[in-house]
Amino acid sequence: MAKLVKEKSFWTAIGVTLLCALAGSLLAQLPYFSLIGALVISLVLGMLVQFSPRVVEKSKKGTGFISNKFLRLGIILLGFKLNLIDLAHAGVKTILLAVLIVGLTILVVYNLARKFNVESNLAMLVASGTGICGAAAVMGISPQIQVPADQEEQKREDEVMAIAVVAILGTVFTFIEIGLKSWLHLTPTQFGVVAGGSLHEIAHAVATGGAGGPVSLDTAIITKLSRVLLLAPVALIIGFWHRRRNEVNVANQTKGKLPIPWFMGGFILASVVGTFLPLGAGVLAGLVKLAYIFLGMAMAALGMSVNFLVILKRGKGPFAAATIGSVLLLIFVIMASKWFF
């Protein structure tokens, strides 16, 4: 680490990815761009940097560190966004619905993707992003999927592919759900449950929930954050699942070592601190913004290091599986909202 910090590549990567993250945050505040979200915009900006091969080459050693370590730091800080008391007040119904949504969606989308001959690792990333919270879930689950060194490039392509799938479908379904609002005859609370329970990114849930008024928006955020809370336990489960499949043998993997995502422990700890310590709304908002900056830098670094032409060629199966899964998820959540909310 100390040696890397002294290298010019590290600081070049810091500067480029920070610029992409800040630009992504600013663009995400604009109309229409807000539906895409800061993280996906940062990823796209990072991919655009590839049009300057010299910059990419100068940043090469630093981008690997940023996409790994800054990702974990960003996810830990994202825990400050979760207010556990608000989630508790949402009731058992909301938490139970989130568990059903996440569990069933991951199972359905993963198995559909496998039916479409999508590789297991990519199928799991797409399923996790669809079921939990979009790009942040993909990046949170990815460290649990260990691969040999010679497959790291393909793993980065899988990450970008999964993020692209959930970002595009989430945006499409945002417009679909807003368009269906008057046809569904839902109460504001029910519409908020549908928005938070069916859409992929937090930005999508906020945009759609806001279309139903303040009650709908609050319900959408709580329902969505109930799914986000499951990121840590799901990451742990997937780590065990992946290890038991014995698909890869990683050189630094010790026999009997548990695949515990310790940074997810930091995520939970941050949510506990943010909930029970009097940090103040301004401090919490600042920490969440910092989280998105670090995550945006990790996304930009990822975008700078992938072959997106290969991704375009491999996209048919993941898109098909996630589309079918998203339709089934929307139907399920609409029915659940009418019956239980």
Side-chain angles (χ1 to χ4, degrees):
M1 171 60 183
K3 183 179 179 181
L4 178 60
V5 169
K6 294 179 181 179
E7 293 187 9
K8 186 177 180 180
S9 171
F10 177 80
W11 294 109
T12 302
I14 288 286
V16 173
T17 56
L18 178 59
L19 184 61
C20 290
L22 292 174
S25 296
L26 291 174
L27 288 172
Q29 299 176 28
L30 300 176
Y32 303 109
F33 283 98
S34 61
L35 294 176
I36 302 173
L39 298 185
V40 176
I41 295 174
S42 299
L43 172 68
V44 173
L45 292 175
M47 295 174 73
L48 292 177
V49 173
Q50 290 197 39
F51 286 101
S52 177
R54 184 179 178 184
V55 173
V56 173
E57 184 61 30
K58 283 186 176 181
S59 309
K60 195 170 184 179
K61 292 183 180 179
T63 51
F65 178 87
I66 292 170
S67 63
N68 185 298
K69 304 301 182 183
F70 280 37
L71 162 69
R72 287 163 169 76
L73 180 56
I75 289 177
I76 289 172
L77 293 175
L78 194 61
F80 287 105
K81 191 177 183 69
L82 285 174
N83 187 296
L84 300 179
I85 294 177
D86 288 345
L87 292 179
H89 287 164
V92 176
K93 289 190 298 184
T94 301
I95 301 299
L96 179 59
L97 178 63
V99 171
L100 289 173
I101 287 170
V102 171
L104 293 176
T105 302
I106 290 177
L107 287 173
V108 169
V109 175
Y110 174 80
N111 284 286
L112 282 172
R114 296 295 286 152
K115 292 290 185 183
F116 290 121
N117 297 317
V118 177
E119 298 92 335
S120 177
N121 293 349
L122 175 56
M124 183 52 70
L125 291 177
V126 172
S128 300
T130 305
I132 308 174
C133 55
V138 173
M139 300 301 287
I141 297 297
S142 182
Q144 292 298 91
I145 299 177
Q146 300 178 343
V147 298
D150 60 353
Q151 295 181 18
E152 283 293 337
E153 183 176 351
Q154 181 174 331
K155 182 181 179 181
R156 288 192 293 270
E157 292 172 358
D158 289 346
E159 292 168 351
V160 175
M161 171 65 74
I163 291 167
V165 168
V166 295
I168 293 172
L169 287 179
T171 303
V172 170
F173 274 81
T174 294
F175 289 112
I176 289 175
E177 292 186 20
I178 292 175
L180 289 174
K181 179 178 176 295
S182 60
W183 296 84
L184 295 175
H185 304 292
L186 300 173
T187 66
T189 297
Q190 290 172 337
F191 187 69
V193 169
V194 171
S198 63
L199 292 169
H200 309 328
E201 297 279 354
I202 294 177
H204 298 148
V206 169
T208 305
V215 173
S216 176
L217 175 59
D218 289 345
T219 305
I221 292 173
I222 290 297
T223 306
K224 185 62 187 176
L225 291 182
S226 297
R227 293 165 66 190
V228 175
L229 182 63
L230 296 174
L231 178 57
V234 169
L236 182 60
I237 292 169
I238 289 175
F240 278 107
W241 166 83
H242 190 266
R243 181 179 177 83
R244 291 196 64 176
R245 283 177 60 90
N246 292 321
E247 290 184 340
V248 295
N249 292 313
V250 181
N252 62 358
Q253 187 175 11
T254 304
K255 185 177 180 180
K257 183 180 178 182
L258 298 179
I260 298 176
W262 297 111
F263 67 98
M264 285 297 179
F267 171 84
I268 297 297
L269 179 61
S271 67
V272 172
V273 171
T275 300
F276 297 106
L277 293 185
L279 298 180
V283 173
L284 290 176
L287 289 170
V288 172
K289 287 182 179 179
L290 187 60
Y292 276 99
I293 293 298
F294 283 124
L295 288 173
M297 292 175 70
M299 297 286 277
L302 182 63
M304 291 169 63
S305 60
V306 299
N307 186 337
F308 48 88
L309 294 179
V310 173
I311 293 171
L312 293 176
K313 295 178 182 178
R314 300 172 59 211
K316 185 177 179 180
F319 266 106
T323 299
I324 296 172
S326 296
V327 171
L328 294 175
L329 173 59
L330 176 58
I331 294 171
F332 171 75
V333 178
I334 290 173
M335 295 170 61
S337 69
K338 284 181 175 288
W339 291 342
F340 302 111
F341 293 86

